[in-house]
Amino acid sequence: MKKQCILVTGGAGFIGSHTCIALHEAGYKVIIVDNFSNSHRDVLSRLNQILNTDIIFYEGDVRDQIFLAKIFKNHAIHAVIHFAGFKAVGESVKKPLDYYDNNILSMICLLRVMKEARVYILIFSSSATVYGDPKWLPIKEDSERYTTSPYGRSKLFIEHLLEDLYHAEPHWNIALLRYFNPVGAHDSGLIGELPNDVPNNLMPFVQQVAKGLQPYLSVFGNDYDTRDGTGIRDYIHVMDLAEGHVSALNYYQTNHGLLTVNLGTGQGTSVLDLVNTFEKINNCKVQYKIVERRSGDIAACWADVSFAERALAWRAKRDLAKMCEDAWRWECARTSLRV
Ligand code: WQD
């Protein structure tokens, strides 16, 4: 049977590249679009090495409608998974115009080209950041949405845009996948998270402290109302997240409509839980200091994943130990590959 062709925008990025692996392994044909504004070109050769194939790749900006339309003319695209976008909360506060321009105009351009090509299956990379500081835990998909950063607002705006489009044109099949905290790496050690400079997020920073690239981890506050006073999050292995995208695509083989799903593990992990697990699993030391809270941080956030299990027959399989093991393997490989 001819393989269904999936266009992956931002496919050279952290979650996009891992999703390309899961798609290929599930029997889909992958086409990547990326402009390397937040990813590295050599991820493509590593993906080909892992998959023993030559993934079709187009370098360009999703906001370039003519460039994008050519791809839909050259290939019978079955569905699109849209990752391309900026995603750093702190940076978005300093550069709101760049974030709204890149994230929102890319979405609008992609939708216009998809409509012109009569391709109506879209999987959108959303984020738990749309929940802001949740009143109840675990967080369900119908929890209140509000956000406090331009990055979060760009994601929330796109969710509203897609909901409006679906209500106006119900022949669309649109999945809003809300990621919790993606961490870890493919177990080949060939691809993983590539922070542009000093990491903002916890796991890549822990990796760099363990490797001696940073002197210590600043733990942003231990006076939260949590079991050990440090922030709690729902960390999910990036390959579990990737497989969640395949499950969402498979959902549309027999279903139709607008789907909103939390992709997390349903487990809350504190900063110190993660540090301790990382040290134990990898037999290493992660020096840390307790410092002031980071402004904008929330105390706790973890997902109710019951709907994902029911609707997608999907649940995260990899535990925190596996996340820490794979993250460490990638950090050791990354520094030797000098990427
Ligand atoms: C996790 C915990 C920090 C760094 C971010 C984005 C969000 C989403 C997921 C895209 C918190 C603590 C962190 C450090 C620390 N990305 N921490 N020292 O803030 O939950 O969410 O990633 O959608 O949009 O904002 O993740 O990894 O930055 O923080 O103590 O050096 O680790 O306070 O409790 P966060 P994070």
Side-chain angles (χ1 to χ4, degrees), residues 193-244:
E193 192 165 7
L194 280 168
N196 283 336
D197 41 30
V198 177
N200 295 310
N201 295 135
L202 179 65
M203 182 67 99
F205 204 102
V206 164
Q207 290 164 216
Q208 291 198 8
V209 171
K211 203 77 186 79
L213 302 176
Q214 304 291 344
Y216 61 87
L217 168 73
S218 298
V219 175
F220 296 139
N222 67 344
D223 56 352
Y224 286 103
D225 181 15
T226 61
R227 56 179 172 273
D228 62 15
T230 64
I232 289 183
R233 297 292 185 276
D234 185 333
Y235 298 97
I236 176 170
H237 196 292
V238 63
M239 281 312 297
D240 277 323
L241 195 60
E243 289 161 10

Side-chain angles (χ1 to χ4, degrees), residues 82-151:
H82 181 45
F83 292 104
F86 296 153
K87 62 170 186 174
V89 173
E91 185 187 52
S92 78
V93 176
K94 298 185 192 109
K95 302 177 179 173
L97 197 50
D98 293 350
Y99 269 69
Y100 290 125
D101 187 320
N102 189 41
N103 293 3
I104 296 173
L105 295 188
S106 296
M107 186 75 266
I108 292 172
C109 179
L110 176 61
L111 290 167
R112 288 199 182 287
V113 174
M114 288 178 71
K115 189 171 171 171
E116 185 63 30
R118 291 182 170 70
V119 175
Y120 292 111
I121 302 176
L122 172 71
I123 313 289
F124 174 61
S125 162
S126 192
S127 165
T129 201
V130 302
Y131 295 119
D133 190 354
K135 288 194 180 67
W136 311 104
L137 288 169
I139 304 175
K140 291 180 181 294
E141 283 84 357
D142 61 358
S143 298
E144 184 192 358
R145 287 179 291 178
Y146 76 94
T147 62
T148 54
S149 74
Y151 160 73

Side-chain angles (χ1 to χ4, degrees), residues 251-280:
Y251 172 88
Y252 286 117
Q253 302 292 353
T254 52
N255 297 280
H256 169 77
L258 178 68
L259 182 70
T260 301
V261 188
N262 287 337
L263 292 186
T265 63
Q267 300 294 319
T269 297
S270 78
V271 175
L272 294 182
D273 289 338
L274 187 145
V275 168
N276 296 334
T277 305
F278 194 95
E279 288 182 326
K280 185 162 156 265

Side-chain angles (χ1 to χ4, degrees), residues 2 26 58 65 74 76-77 88 99 101 145 152 176 179 184 189 240 249 259 262 277 318 333:
K2 192 165 165 42
Y58 290 89
Q65 205 156 327
N74 294 345
I77 307 286
Y99 269 69
D101 187 320
R145 287 179 291 178
L176 308 178
Y179 310 159
D240 277 323
L249 270 181
L259 182 70
N262 287 337
T277 305
R318 297 159 179 92

Side-chain angles (χ1 to χ4, degrees), residues 44-57:
L44 299 172
S45 55
R46 300 239 182 84
L47 277 178
N48 290 335
Q49 185 182 345
I50 293 166
L51 299 174
N52 191 23
T53 183
D54 248 338
I55 290 184
I56 301 168
F57 167 68

